[in-house]
C-alpha cells in the first residue's frame, strides 16, 4: 500500500511538472558561491517547488477520480431536500471517498500489477514504474472524458491531434477529465432537483391559495420531500445509478 501511494504521488508530480515546464536557471550573484553539495543554486528552488506539489497531491488525486462527480451530486441532493447541514459535509465527503475507493479499486490493481510489483522485484526503475503506472489511470480518465473537452485543451495547448487516444499527454487528459466530470455532476444534480422543485411549487401554491401567508412553504415541503425520498429508498437508487454511470 505504501509503494502504491508513492507511485501515485510520483505520477501526479510528473503530470504536474508537465504544466510547469523546466525550471529556469538561476544566475549566481556576485560574491556568493552556489549551494554546494546538492546540485547548485537551483536546488533550493527545486525543493520548494517539489514540496509545493506534494501539498497539492491529495487535491490532484481526488480530481483524477470519480470523487468530483460524487461529491457534487451529494451536495445537490442536500440542497434539493432543503436539509441545510444534514448530512454533514464530513458524512458526504466520507461517503464519496468510500465510493471512490470502490470504483478505483480495479485501476489500483492494474497499477499494482504493471508498476508496483515489477518495481518491488527490481525489474524496472522508479521512472519506468511511473510511466507504467500512469497508463491505467490515463485509460480510466479517457473513458469518461468528452471528446469536446479533449479537443478544447488540445487546441489551447497547440498540440497536434494524436493518432490514438492513448498518445495524449496527461497535460491534456487531466483538465479534460475534470471538466467532463463537472458537467456530468451538474447534469445529474439538475435532474435530482426537478421532483423536489415540483413539491416546493405545489406546496407554495397551496399555502398561498388558502391564505397561509405567515407560514413559510419550506416548513411543509421539507418533511414531504424527506418522506418521498425515504419511501422510494432514495439513497439506494441514487448510489446505484451513480455506480452504474461508471460501468
Amino acid at each position: 500500500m505504501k509503494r502504491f501511494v508513492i507511485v501515485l504521488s510520483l505520477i501526479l508530480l510528473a503530470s504536474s511538472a508537465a504544466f510547469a515546464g523546466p525550471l529556469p536557471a538561476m544566475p549566481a550573484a556576485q560574491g556568493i558561491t552556489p549551494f554546494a553539495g546538492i546540485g547548485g543554486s537551483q536546488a533550493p528552488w527545486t525543493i520548494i517547488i517539489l514540496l509545493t506539489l506534494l501539498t497539492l497531491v491529495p487535491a490532484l488525486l481526488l480530481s483524477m477520480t470519480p470523487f468530483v462527480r460524487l461529491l457534487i451530486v451529494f451536495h445537490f441532493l442536500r440542497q434539493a431536500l432543503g436539509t441545510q447541514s444534514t448530512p454533514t459535509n464530513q458524512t458526504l465527503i466520507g461517503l464519496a471517498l468510500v465510493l471512490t475507493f470502490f470504483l478505483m479499486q480495479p485501476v489500483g490493481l492494474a497499477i499494482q500489477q504493471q508498476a508496483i510489483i515489477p518495481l518491488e522485484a527490481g525489474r524496472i526503475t522508479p521512472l519506468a514504474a511511473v510511466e507504467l503506472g500512469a497508463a491505467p489511470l490515463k485509460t480510466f480518465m479517457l473513458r469518461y472524458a468528452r471528446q469536446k473537452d479533449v479537443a478544447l485543451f488540445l487546441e489551447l495547448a497547440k498540440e497536434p491531434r494524436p493518432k490514438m487516444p492513448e498518445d495524449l499527454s496527461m497535460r491534456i487528459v487531466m483538465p479534460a477529465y475534470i471538466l467532463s466530470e463537472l458537467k456530468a455532476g451538474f447534469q445529474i444534480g439538475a435532474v435530482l432537483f426537478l421532483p423536489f422543485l415540483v413539491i416546493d411549487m405545489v406546496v407554495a401554491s397551496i399555502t398561498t391559495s388558502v391564505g397561509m401567508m405567515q407560514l413559510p412553504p419550506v416548513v411543509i415541503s421539507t418533511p414531504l420531500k424527506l418522506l418521498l425520498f425515504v419511501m422510494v429508498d432514495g439513497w439506494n437508487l441514487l448510489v446505484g445509478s451513480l455506480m452504474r454511470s461508471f460501468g
Side-chain angles (χ1 to χ4, degrees):
M1 184 63 183
K2 183 178 180 181
R3 287 185 177 270
F4 174 69
V5 174
I6 294 174
V7 170
L8 274 182
S9 302
L10 290 175
I11 292 172
L12 294 174
L13 289 174
S15 304
S16 303
F19 291 95
L23 290 173
M26 300 296 295
Q30 295 182 357
I32 299 178
T33 57
F35 191 77
I38 301 183
S41 60
Q42 187 177 350
W45 291 101
T46 304
I47 295 173
I48 292 174
I49 293 176
L50 286 177
L51 291 177
T52 303
L53 291 177
L54 283 175
T55 61
L56 299 177
V57 163
L60 290 173
L61 181 60
L62 294 178
S63 299
M64 297 165 63
T65 61
F67 181 83
V68 175
R69 183 191 305 189
L70 296 173
L71 192 59
I72 289 175
V73 172
F74 292 153
H75 277 286
F76 267 110
L77 174 64
R78 188 173 64 181
Q79 293 294 326
L81 288 174
T83 56
Q84 303 294 327
S85 58
T86 304
T88 61
N89 289 332
Q90 291 82 358
T91 303
L92 295 181
I93 293 173
L95 178 59
L97 284 174
V98 171
L99 296 179
T100 299
F101 176 79
F102 178 83
L103 290 169
M104 294 299 293
Q105 187 175 11
V107 180
L109 291 176
I111 293 175
Q112 182 179 9
Q113 294 175 358
Q114 298 180 21
I116 298 177
I117 293 179
L119 178 63
E120 291 179 342
R123 297 195 298 267
I124 59 176
T125 62
L127 184 59
V130 171
E131 295 178 356
L132 293 175
L137 192 59
K138 183 191 296 186
T139 302
F140 174 82
M141 290 190 291
L142 284 173
R143 187 183 308 170
Y144 303 105
R146 298 187 307 164
Q147 293 183 359
K148 183 177 180 180
D149 297 327
V150 174
L152 170 64
F153 287 101
L154 272 175
E155 179 183 355
L156 295 176
K158 295 181 174 57
E159 292 187 6
R161 188 180 295 273
K163 297 181 179 180
M164 299 292 293
E166 291 76 12
D167 297 332
L168 290 167
S169 63
M170 293 291 283
R171 180 190 179 192
I172 303 299
V173 176
M174 286 174 58
Y177 172 78
I178 296 173
L179 200 62
S180 301
E181 287 296 285
L182 287 173
K183 178 178 175 59
F186 274 83
Q187 285 179 334
I188 299 173
V191 174
L192 278 176
F193 251 105
L194 293 179
F196 301 112
L197 180 61
V198 171
I199 296 176
D200 286 331
M201 295 176 62
V202 170
V203 171
S205 62
I206 291 176
T207 55
T208 303
S209 61
V210 299
M212 302 174 62
M213 301 297 183
Q214 302 299 327
L215 182 64
V218 69
V219 176
I220 301 176
S221 63
T222 299
L224 292 177
K225 290 187 290 187
L226 289 175
L227 181 61
L228 174 64
F229 189 72
V230 172
M231 287 180 60
V232 300
D233 199 2
W235 284 111
N236 184 279
L237 292 175
L238 177 62
V239 172
S241 300
L242 286 173
M243 295 295 101
R244 293 186 185 94
S245 69
F246 289 99

